[in-house]
Amino acid sequence: MALPHNIAPDMPPLIAVHGIRRGAKLQADLFGKRAAALGQPVIAPVFDKANWLGYQQAFLCGRADLALLDLVLALRNEGVVKTEKIDLFGFSGGAQFVHRFAMLHPDRVSHLSIASPGWYTFPDNAPYPYGLWPRPEHPDEWSYCLIAKLDRFLALPIRVCVGENDCVRDKNTRSGAAIDAQQGLNRLDRAKRWAETVHTTAIDMKVAPQITLHELKGCGHDFQTCVTKGELDRIVIPDLPSHQWPVTSCSGTCTAKQRQMCHAKSSATPLNVMEATG
């Protein structure tokens, strides 16, 4: 977690969700300085392998979405989160999680930024997680909410980011005849197709689309390169005032209360918060 000395009362926190390598600390570090200039906390939760192996799908394999809401509530009670809404960012597997979270909880999201997910949930009638329709064998109550809240999701400010060189299919790219036909062959193609589909669906539903696609020059599938070379941080956090506040470090300079908060547990399976070092 990266905290500014002064948390802006009307600034939603940035929740940055890691990919399957679980590089939460790196996300807090690389977003922290820029967010601090806005008085924006950066919260980088850890979905550990033992409890959250399928966190990317948000509602399957445990309710990762509810764990995140519990964590935000705990941090709000501590005074770190001061708003009802949150800014959401995810990279790779984290991008899978946050766009699905936003589909079910659009009223809790201020801005949604996703970078380089391997595959998407499309706003169509394919069974979840490929589309919004309830799974035939598991008609969960929450799945009907995805359809009911689609218009609110489509109205969100959404930034889709992907490296211009992120077009290599690897072992983590879900593939097969059906998903390749629906989404494309690689992350770059899939980002373009999903962004276009969201834009078109919004117009069809008489919703003003606010989705933008950003191809990061000279970048592949590496978060740090996407920030340092592709300026991903400037897309996720677009405004930087001239005055900058230093970021506190929970490794030594936080108050006892803040250190305690860094280890906040959700009321379900524990969801930890990474500490910033900057």
Side-chain angles (χ1 to χ4, degrees):
M1 179 164 52
L3 299 179
H5 281 315
N6 298 293
I7 298 174
D10 58 347
M11 175 63 68
L14 175 62
I15 310 293
V17 182
H18 58 71
I20 60 174
R21 294 181 181 178
R22 290 167 170 79
K25 183 179 181 299
L26 181 63
Q27 292 196 8
D29 289 345
L30 294 184
F31 285 139
K33 183 177 180 180
R34 190 168 180 82
L38 299 174
Q40 183 178 40
V42 178
I43 300 163
V46 179
F47 291 94
D48 62 88
K49 289 183 180 179
N51 295 301
W52 299 109
L53 192 59
Y55 77 97
Q56 303 99 311
Q57 295 188 30
F59 325 126
L60 307 182
C61 307
R63 291 298 299 269
D65 63 319
L66 298 183
L68 179 58
L69 289 174
D70 286 346
L71 180 62
V72 171
L73 178 60
L75 296 177
R76 184 167 185 177
N77 290 338
E78 293 289 348
V80 172
V81 174
K82 298 181 180 294
T83 62
E84 284 286 343
K85 294 192 175 186
I86 57 178
D87 285 352
L88 270 179
F89 168 80
F91 180 80
S92 194
Q96 292 183 40
F97 168 79
V98 297
H99 87 274
R100 291 165 181 147
F101 177 99
M103 285 178 161
L104 187 58
H105 306 284
D107 296 332
R108 296 299 305 273
V109 179
S110 179
H111 292 85
L112 174 64
S113 301
I114 58 177
S116 310
W119 59 293
Y120 297 80
T121 293
F122 272 64
D124 61 22
N125 60 1
Y128 186 84
Y130 300 98
L132 305 180
W133 208 249
R135 297 173 295 162
E137 70 279 16
H138 297 291
D140 307 287
E141 288 186 9
W142 55 259
S143 59
Y144 295 98
C145 293
L146 294 172
I147 300 170
K149 296 180 180 181
L150 177 58
D151 59 337
R152 281 170 277 176
F153 171 76
L154 296 172
L156 290 176
I158 303 172
R159 308 174 185 111
V160 182
C161 307
V162 64
E164 67 172 355
N165 299 325
D166 199 351
C167 50
V168 177
R169 290 164 67 93
D170 55 33
K171 64 179 181 179
N172 296 318
T173 305
R174 181 166 294 205
S175 59
I179 190 171
D180 291 348
Q182 180 201 39
Q183 306 199 12
L185 296 179
N186 54 61
R187 293 183 180 91
L188 179 60
D189 290 343
R190 292 178 180 188
K192 292 177 179 178
R193 189 172 298 184
W194 188 79
E196 181 180 358
T197 301
V198 169
H199 185 273
T200 301
T201 304
I203 293 174
D204 290 344
M205 294 186 65
K206 311 299 183 186
V207 174
Q210 298 190 71
I211 187 168
T212 54
L213 176 64
H214 305 264
E215 290 188 42
L216 308 179
K217 300 298 181 183
C219 297
H221 194 68
D222 179 77
F223 171 73
Q224 187 165 359
T225 303
C226 286
V227 172
T228 58
K229 190 172 184 178
E231 299 187 331
L232 176 62
D233 57 330
R234 294 178 178 272
I235 298 170
V236 177
I237 309 169
D239 297 314
L240 183 62
S242 57
H243 176 65
Q244 294 187 354
W245 298 317
V247 181
T248 63
S249 170
C250 292
S251 60
T253 61
C254 282
T255 65
K257 191 173 186 179
Q258 288 171 330
R259 285 196 299 272
Q260 216 173 35
M261 187 228 2
C262 282
H263 301 286
K265 307 291 184 179
S266 91
S267 60
T269 304
L271 184 60
N272 298 322
V273 179
M274 281 304 301
E275 300 174 355
T277 59

